[in-house]
Every structure is written in structure tokens, then in C-alpha cells.
Amino acid sequence: MKHKIFLKSKKGFFGTSKGKEHAFGGQYMPEILYPALQELEEAYYKYVLNSKEFKRELRALYRDFIGRPTPLIYAKNASKILNNEIYLKFEGLANTGAHKINNAVGQVLLAKKMGKTRIIAETGAGQHGLATSAACAKLGMECVVFMGARDIKRQFPNVFNMELLGAKVVSVESGSQTLKDAVNEALREWSKESKNTFYVLGSTLGPYPYPDIVREFQSIISEEISRQTKNFFKGNPDIMIACVGGGSNSLGFFSHYLKSSVRLIGVEAGGRGKGIGENAARMDNPNAHLCIAQGYKSLFLSDKYGNLLETYSISAGLDYAGVGPQLAHLKEIGRVEFLSALDSEALEAMQFFAKTEGILAALESSHALAGALKIAKSVKGQKILVNISGRGDKDIFITAKALQKERWKEFLTREIEEMQNHHTKQN
Ligand SMILES: *Cc1c(COP(=O)(O)O)cnc(C)c1O
């Protein structure tokens, strides 16, 4: 039987729930949020899908604020070594350094059209918070970012930048004090105050209509690609590869190709290996179960009672227990294949493409590159497109520690000493 590919949700669900197939997604939220979600759904249809003016304004922001289109680069040196044609879509050149701004700008513009004056958002490592803060600064909106207390300590540079951009970062002290607690707190705040407040969600997950809204804003990536490939070859690429956290960069990258015959591959975080709490790979993992959590039904790393498990990845952006419902559907019907890459493989791929192509990819994106290195070994002469969802500047605290520990330590020690000396001199 040939399965229907859901390009968008039907009444909030992806998949038919016939036979062995599941319907992923939905809107499993406390009743108090129904009016806010309904208002959001109506605005999504009215502005995002059907308003020419909205589309024109968004395009202008994409071009003049984000710096789109981002380039599609032929990776000539890597292609030679890997016996395939490798192309890189470089989302890392977008303002704030990653694809997340495509969605943040779209949602903040939508909020403005709806007459909202205040934005709230959740953030884990801070990338989505950073993008949302920048979008709010540009569009003149008040911005409050919820962030786990533990994450605030670990991610000082992003917190610092969010505050520079004018956002208020609120420390969430409950639970594990990380991303999932920040999501809960943002939802709690939204259920208290939704009249003037809009909740900007960062990936293709959460309750309907967010998975559709976020994919719609991110699909600018594949729309550009379908034009840009014409500079290099006729027709479609053979293989497309992206990393998968919640699913926003991969779905945006795959969007225009879901109905084609292009081989689509998602790469998850294999972390340190297979054990519980050692990775964030949800596909083909015995610890992944169909669960309803944080407003949607999908695959989550959980215990048999449905409690979410701890996850781990060297890349903060992939370190999450759930995966977007549309990707769970595309996996189930076999339209998208999934691999995982270990921390060490991502680090290696990052260095390979830095040296051969002059591109410093984010650690998240380096998982996609590691996937490309694996796939390239099994095929020849194929046109392989890889999405570089972000650039690697933000990762220096992790990569330098992993690759040149002693020199990094020396550098940090010197910085601290200098600060202390300066302090003594001032006194
Ligand atoms: C957040 C992030 C990701 C993972 O999120 P998705 O929603 O799966 O795209 C990947 N790459 C970068 C650079 C990120 O910041």
C-alpha cells in the first residue's frame, strides 16, 4: 500500500491512523488555552497563508534584515575527495547565525498583525531566544524569554546577547531547570495572559497550529534551493541531508521536495552512544515511545510510564526528548530516512568541512555533515545537498574544550587573571 504523504496537517494531525499508521500531532493542551490557540489558527490562515501584504512584508524582512537568500555553495574540494557532488545550503549566514530567525521574524510579524504588543518565548541553549530577541528589536515588540536556571548559567554568552538585544530573560527554577521546564513556564504564562501576549515557539512541534506555522516559515529554505540548483544542474538533487532536533531546519529544507523522488535523510544526535541519557536519537531507539507531551503526540524518549528521559548531545540544539509530529509521520511511512551521528563524528565532520571548504558549521549542522560523510561512502557521483543550519562561532566554548583543551584553559585563565589584575589596579 502506498502511504499518503502529509505535506501539512489535517485538522492538526499528520498521518491517517489507519492500519499500523499513527496520526501524530494534535493539540493536547489545558482547556484554558483553547481560545488563544484558536485565535492563532485563524490568524495563521488569514495572514500567513492568505494575505499578500503579509507575504510582501515578510519577504522584505527576509531580504533586508535576515540577509536572504542564503547561498547554495558547491563544495568543490570536498566533492573531489568524496567522489560525489556536494552542495551546502548555508543558513549560518542568516542574521544571528542560524535558520531560527526565519521562523522568529515570521511569528513576531504575525503577532504584530494580530495587535499583540508583547512576545514570550522559551529557549534551551539560547539560539531561539536570540533570534526572537532580534526579531522583537527590529519590529518594536516587548520580549520576554523563559530559560531554565541551569541553562542560564551554562549559556552566558547567549543570555548576554539576548539582553543586549533588549529582551528580558526570566530564570525558570522548576524541574530540571532546562528547556522542557522553560516550555512549561512559557505555556503557563501564556495561559495567564494571552490578550496582549503572543507565544513564539521555536521548532516544528508543540500543539497545532505551531508545527504547521513553523514549517511554513522555514520552507523559504527549500523554496530558495529549488531556484538555486538551476545555477548548477538541471532537475532535482539525488540526496538531501539535514540535522534533526525538533525538526524545523530539516522540514524547511525538505519541504519543496517531499513529493519528489529525492532521497531525504535526517541525522539525529547519537551523543556518546546508545545508553539512556547518552543521546537524543528518537528514531529507531528502544527508549523512544509514542507519547503525548508538551501539547502534541509524537515519539519521545521516555520511560514506560511516559515520563521524559534525560537526553544528551554535544550540540545543544539537538538535545531534546521529542521530535516534531510531521517528521515522526514521514519516518513511519518511510519517506524520510534517519541516521544518527556521534559527538565525535560531528566534530570530525566539522573539521573536515572547515579545512576543505572554509566553512565553520555549527555543531548541530555538523551532524548533517557527518551523515553526508557516511552516505558518500556508499554512493558515487550523486548530487548530495546538505543543510548547514547554523555557523559555528557560537560553539567555541565547546569545540575549543574538546579539541585543544590545554590551550583553551590557558587562554581562559589568562583572561581571568587579567581581569583580576585590572581590578586591583583600579582600586
Ligand atoms: C536549534 C538548532 C537546530 C535544531 O533545531 P531544528 O528545529 O531541528 O532545526 C539545528 N541547527 C541549529 C544551528 C540550531 O540552532
Side-chain angles (χ1 to χ4, degrees):
M1 192 180 93
K2 201 161 172 351
H3 296 280
K4 179 173 151 57
I5 300 170
F6 280 64
L7 303 180
K8 55 184 179 19
S9 77
K10 192 169 174 200
K11 296 205 174 94
F13 286 96
F14 299 90
T16 59
S17 84
K18 276 186 204 142
K20 284 190 177 161
E21 211 180 286
H22 294 94
F24 299 97
Q27 195 177 66
Y28 299 92
M29 293 306 289
E31 232 166 281
I32 191 168
L33 273 171
Y34 286 180
L37 287 164
Q38 185 136 29
E39 189 193 2
L40 178 61
E41 182 184 358
E42 279 161 20
Y44 168 54
Y45 276 90
K46 180 172 170 192
Y47 296 108
V48 182
L49 297 182
N50 292 310
S51 159
K52 283 215 173 80
E53 191 195 317
F54 181 90
K55 287 181 192 182
R56 205 163 33 226
E57 280 179 50
L58 184 62
R59 288 298 150 130
L61 285 164
Y62 277 178
R63 189 188 60 222
D64 303 329
F65 177 58
I66 299 182
R68 306 204 69 87
T70 58
L72 182 70
I73 298 166
Y74 175 49
K76 196 172 166 187
N77 304 321
S79 295
K80 218 177 199 171
I81 298 168
L82 300 172
N83 298 314
N84 285 280
E85 283 176 44
I86 313 285
Y87 298 87
L88 308 172
K89 176 66 170 166
F90 198 11
E91 285 297 294
L93 283 190
N95 186 10
T96 65
H99 70 289
K100 287 211 170 69
I101 190 88
N102 302 329
N103 168 56
V105 160
Q107 285 194 44
V108 175
L109 183 64
L110 178 60
K112 217 171 163 163
K113 295 287 167 196
M114 291 167 73
K116 309 285 178 187
T117 52
R118 179 170 173 262
I119 295 296
I120 56 171
E122 86 294 344
T123 200
Q127 290 304 111
H128 171 57
L130 186 72
T132 305
S133 305
C136 286
K138 177 70 181 172
L139 294 171
M141 298 283 254
E142 186 190 340
C143 183
V144 179
V145 179
F146 292 92
M147 192 168 183
R150 234 174 94 198
D151 286 336
I152 288 186
K153 286 200 193 97
R154 287 191 290 194
Q155 308 286 350
F156 173 73
N158 273 340
V159 176
F160 177 78
N161 284 334
M162 281 186 263
E163 288 173 351
L164 266 186
L165 290 162
K168 184 176 165 214
V169 181
V170 175
S171 173
V172 177
E173 312 283 339
S174 58
S176 58
Q177 307 186 333
T178 59
L179 175 61
K180 68 178 167 55
D181 313 290
V183 173
N184 292 337
E185 196 55 39
L187 286 169
R188 207 167 298 144
E189 169 70 18
W190 199 33
S191 60
K192 274 192 282 184
E193 215 301 289
S194 62
K195 191 167 172 288
N196 300 311
T197 298
F198 184 104
Y199 178 22
V200 174
L201 205 149
S203 190
T204 41
L205 39 78
Y208 172 75
Y210 283 109
D212 283 304
I213 293 180
V214 178
R215 182 206 57 246
E216 192 63 33
F217 288 138
Q218 292 294 359
S219 67
I220 184 69
I221 301 174
S222 62
E223 188 198 307
E224 286 174 5
I225 291 172
S226 62
R227 266 183 277 124
Q228 291 171 316
T229 52
K230 295 197 180 80
N231 300 331
F232 300 105
F233 51 81
K234 275 209 186 89
N236 287 340
D238 299 301
I239 303 173
M240 295 175 80
I241 307 177
C243 67
V244 178
S248 70
N249 88 87
S250 55
L251 280 169
F253 179 67
F254 294 155
S255 218
H256 283 67
Y257 296 91
L258 285 174
K259 285 241 153 141
S260 74
S261 58
V262 177
R263 204 175 150 196
L264 305 176
I265 300 174
V267 186
E268 297 185 288
R272 302 187 197 101
K274 287 200 184 305
I276 288 179
E278 297 291 315
N279 60 64
R282 288 84 19 125
M283 312 288 190
D284 297 320
N285 187 331
N287 298 308
H289 302 101
L290 190 64
C291 292
I292 294 172
Q294 302 193 317
Y296 65 108
K297 189 201 288 180
S298 190
L299 286 173
F300 289 83
L301 293 175
S302 71
D303 65 18
K304 61 180 177 182
Y305 303 107
N307 299 307
L308 303 191
L309 295 173
E310 291 279 313
T311 53
Y312 162 80
S313 167
I314 191 170
S315 65
L318 305 184
D319 192 356
Y320 178 63
V323 68
Q326 189 170 7
L327 280 179
H329 157 71
L330 293 167
K331 151 82 168 123
E332 189 173 72
I333 64 169
R335 179 62 191 97
V336 178
E337 298 163 53
F338 287 87
L339 309 172
S340 64
L342 297 168
D343 287 358
S344 55
E345 293 169 324
L347 276 170
E348 241 162 64
M350 187 269 285
Q351 294 171 84
F352 174 79
F353 281 91
K355 293 208 167 70
T356 54
E357 295 299 331
I359 284 174
L360 280 180
L363 282 171
E364 291 83 358
S365 326
S366 299
H367 286 71
L369 292 171
L373 293 181
K374 285 187 197 190
I375 293 292
K377 281 187 190 145
S378 62
V379 296
K380 222 178 156 182
Q382 301 264 293
K383 299 180 193 77
I384 305 177
L385 248 74
V386 189
N387 197 32
I388 312 278
S389 52
R391 59 174 180 255
D393 314 35
K394 69 176 175 65
D395 295 322
I396 183 156
F397 282 83
I398 299 159
T399 48
K401 190 162 79 182
L403 300 174
Q404 295 210 19
K405 194 166 183 176
E406 280 314 307
R407 284 172 73 195
W408 180 239
K409 206 162 114 187
E410 222 171 88
F411 169 77
L412 291 177
T413 313
R414 229 183 60 107
E415 282 290 303
I416 291 167
E417 276 169 11
E418 221 166 73
M419 255 160 62
Q420 282 165 341
N421 288 341
H422 188 69
H423 184 75
T424 352
K425 254 184 245 158
Q426 269 182 340
N427 285 338

